[in-house]
């Protein structure tokens, strides 16, 4: 019995000593070792040398990030005060649509070159996710998807001639500079990295996908279905405006920024953390360097297919995606295609924007720039 009592007696002092280390810290009071830190009453204190003494500094307030919440009534008037909630609101509006609808995508024919091994092989999944995102928008009734590595370029060209009508093939070849397969490939390195979508005069959607030689340089896009979702969305954009003789379509940053944003939201519709992570990483080397005034310049000057020389071409995708996210948070994903429908009536981009958002493009630019800059540096 006495042995047990002595054991208890030894433990109790140890507990008392340990609990003393959690006593409240006061700025200016003595501490034991320079550089150690202590958290007390919402502040982090650091032990510093003051003269010949070691004392706790004034402490830094611990900032706790508030969880993002859904804001149902975002407008340009209340955008900045709700800046931390924009991403979640855009993502949730879109995810809710995807979760409550079914795909209405048309007939899909996939052709893969004999030497081609795609990094992602579930094209229907990517297409269906995009289709569900836009349940009220028209889609092509037939989709032809041709995938090829550099060694299969001739095969891909012949396959396109085989499965497409001569009229559709000739039209797309003219738009792509002479043939369908070559524009995705670097003939010097014998590598194919790109993909594009074109819609033939008959209404058929054609996606020519060059598959990169292994290993892929961009696994975030190539192994997840993002590339496939990106290209399929382009086919939806074209429908409200093509064959109407409209010389000016929405700006390049709207076209590519929308597809960039859609690919992320479609594939990461159930994973907000992954959605947000891709949005940030996509901008990490290009738009994150921009000042607020440079973002204003981009939005004012990047018109139609014209991009001023001071801006990197990828800003149409990465920065455009951030602009698009805000617009979706305000109006929902349908607005990305509604812009094409508005301009399909022969209206300018500025007039179409005013019709959709109730504010002028010139008034929206500084708000968008401030919001994006704040988000990129938060």
């Amino acid at each position: 019995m006495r042995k047990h009592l002595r054991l208890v007696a030894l433990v109790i002092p140890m507990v008392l000593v340990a609990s003393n280390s959690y006593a409240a810290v006061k700025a200016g009071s003595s501490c034991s070792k320079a550089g150690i830190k202590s958290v007390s009453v919402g502040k982090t204190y650091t032990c510093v040398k003051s003269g010949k003494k070691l004392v706790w500094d004034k402490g830094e307030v611990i900032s706790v990030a508030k969880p993002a919440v859904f804001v149902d009534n975002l407008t340009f008037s209340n955008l900045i005060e709700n800046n931390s909630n924009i991403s979640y609101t855009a993502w949730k509006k879109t995810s809710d649509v995807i979760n409550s609808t079914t795909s209405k995508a048309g007939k899909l024919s996939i052709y893969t070159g004999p030497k081609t091994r795609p990094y992602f092989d579930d094209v229907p999944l990517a297409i269906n996710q995009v289709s569900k995102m836009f349940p009220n928008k028209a889609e092509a009734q037939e989709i032809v998807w041709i995938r090829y590595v550099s060694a299969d370029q001739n095969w891909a060209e012949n396959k396109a001639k085989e499965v497409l009508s001569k009229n559709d093939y000739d039209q797309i070849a003219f738009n792509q500079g002479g043939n369908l397969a070559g524009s995705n490939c670097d003939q010097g390195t014998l590598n194919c990295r790109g993909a594009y979508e074109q819609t033939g005069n008959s209404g058929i959607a054609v996606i020519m996908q060059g598959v990169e030689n292994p290993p892929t340089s961009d696994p975030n896009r190539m192994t997840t279905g993002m590339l496939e979702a990106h290209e399929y969305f382009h086919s939806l954009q074209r429908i409200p405006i093509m064959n109407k003789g409209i010389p000016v379509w929405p700006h390049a940053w709207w076209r590519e920024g929308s597809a960039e944003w859609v690919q992320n939201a479609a594939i990461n519709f159930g994973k907000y953390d992954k959605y947000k992570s891709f949005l940030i990483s996509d901008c990490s080397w290009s738009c994150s360097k921009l000042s607020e005034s440079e973002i204003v310049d981009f939005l004012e000057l990047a018109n139609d297919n014209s991009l001023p020389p001071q801006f990197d071409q990828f800003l149409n995708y990465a920065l455009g995606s951030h602009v698009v996210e805000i617009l979706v948070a305000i109006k929902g994903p349908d607005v990305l295609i509604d812009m094409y429908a508005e301009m399909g009536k022969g209206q300018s981009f500025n007039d179409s924007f005013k019709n959709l958002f109730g504010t002028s493009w010139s008034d929206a630019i500084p708000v968008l720039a401030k919001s994006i800059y704040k988000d990129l540096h938060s």
Side-chain angles (χ1 to χ4, degrees):
M1 177 66 78
R2 288 180 181 176
K3 290 182 180 179
H4 290 294
L5 288 174
R6 278 197 294 271
L7 179 59
V8 172
L10 288 171
V11 171
I12 290 174
M14 290 171 66
V15 173
L16 291 174
V17 170
S19 62
N20 285 342
S21 67
Y22 291 94
V25 170
K26 292 183 180 180
S29 62
S30 62
C31 52
S32 60
K33 184 178 180 181
I36 63 171
K37 297 181 183 294
S38 181
V39 175
S40 179
V41 196
K43 286 187 176 182
T44 299
Y45 293 89
T46 304
C47 187
V48 297
K49 192 169 184 180
S50 178
K52 295 182 179 181
K53 297 181 179 180
L54 291 172
V55 297
W56 294 111
D57 67 2
K58 294 180 180 180
E60 293 185 4
V61 176
I62 300 171
S63 60
V64 180
K66 295 180 180 179
V69 298
F70 178 78
V71 181
D72 190 39
N73 59 340
L74 274 179
T75 66
F76 282 102
S77 299
N78 65 10
L79 194 67
I80 302 304
E81 64 190 82
N82 288 292
N83 219 65
S84 61
N85 301 316
I86 292 171
S87 289
Y88 183 74
T89 298
W91 173 84
K92 190 169 190 323
K93 278 187 176 182
T94 305
S95 295
D96 286 350
V97 174
I98 292 174
N99 282 323
S100 62
T101 59
T102 57
S103 172
K104 58 184 189 329
K107 175 188 173 185
L108 171 64
S109 300
I110 303 173
Y111 303 96
T112 305
K115 299 177 182 178
T116 302
R117 300 294 179 268
Y119 295 97
F120 178 82
D121 208 20
D122 195 353
V123 175
L125 171 66
I127 286 179
N128 289 336
Q129 289 300 96
V130 175
S131 179
K132 289 190 288 184
M133 193 184 296
F134 301 97
N136 302 314
K137 301 304 180 186
E139 297 181 59
Q141 294 303 300
E142 185 176 358
I143 308 130
V144 167
W145 205 293
I146 300 177
R147 307 181 295 183
Y148 52 97
V149 291
S150 179
D152 284 335
Q153 280 185 76
N154 289 337
W155 169 90
E157 199 68 37
N158 290 330
K159 179 59 68 175
K161 291 178 180 177
E162 174 190 332
V163 300
L164 299 177
S165 70
K166 186 176 186 307
N167 182 272
D168 284 336
Y169 175 87
D170 289 346
Q171 173 211 340
I172 296 173
F174 176 81
N175 292 341
Q176 293 300 125
N179 62 62
L180 273 64
S183 59
N184 283 331
C185 302
D186 183 341
Q187 305 306 328
T189 61
L190 299 179
N191 205 0
C192 301
R193 294 187 179 88
Y196 68 83
E197 187 280 335
Q198 287 273 2
T199 301
N201 287 328
S202 68
I204 189 172
V206 180
I207 292 92
M208 300 294 293
Q209 179 185 349
V211 176
E212 187 177 13
N213 295 334
T216 176
S217 59
D218 193 355
N220 275 342
R221 297 171 200 277
M222 302 304 176
T223 67
T224 61
M226 283 194 185
L227 178 140
E228 288 76 7
H230 183 114
E231 297 305 332
Y232 183 65
F233 176 68
H234 280 320
S235 71
L236 273 67
Q237 289 174 316
R238 293 174 178 272
I239 292 174
I241 198 171
M242 67 178 300
N243 298 329
K244 293 188 176 181
I246 305 298
V248 179
W249 288 23
H251 303 326
W253 65 258
W254 184 290
R255 179 180 69 246
E256 297 299 349
S258 294
E260 192 80 356
W261 185 85
V262 164
Q263 70 180 32
N264 185 11
I267 298 303
N268 292 319
F269 77 103
K271 305 165 188 171
Y272 175 67
D273 57 338
K274 289 190 175 183
Y275 162 84
K276 185 64 177 178
S277 176
F278 180 83
L279 189 74
I280 294 170
S281 64
D282 204 31
C283 239
S284 60
W285 68 273
S286 55
C287 35
S288 62
K289 304 173 187 176
L290 299 175
S291 67
E292 187 176 326
S293 62
E294 287 175 320
I295 298 174
V296 169
D297 288 344
F298 177 89
L299 296 176
E300 287 180 343
L301 300 174
N303 299 321
D304 304 332
N305 284 317
S306 172
L307 187 69
Q310 69 265 35
F311 294 117
D312 186 277
Q313 185 73 26
F314 189 66
L315 287 175
N316 281 331
Y317 297 77
L319 184 59
S321 180
H322 277 263
V323 180
V324 163
E325 180 186 64
I326 295 172
L327 303 181
V328 171
I330 294 173
K331 295 288 288 186
D334 275 358
V335 76
L336 304 182
I337 296 176
D338 289 341
M339 175 60 81
Y340 284 83
E342 287 293 311
M343 294 189 70
K345 301 172 186 175
Q347 298 180 132
S348 68
F349 177 89
N350 290 1
D351 287 342
S352 297
F353 187 90
K354 180 71 178 289
N355 290 344
L356 292 171
F357 291 96
T359 190
S360 69
W361 176 237
S362 59
D363 287 341
I365 286 175
V367 182
L368 290 166
K370 183 178 291 296
S371 174
I372 293 168
Y373 182 81
K374 189 174 181 180
D375 186 53
L376 290 174
H377 295 86
S378 60

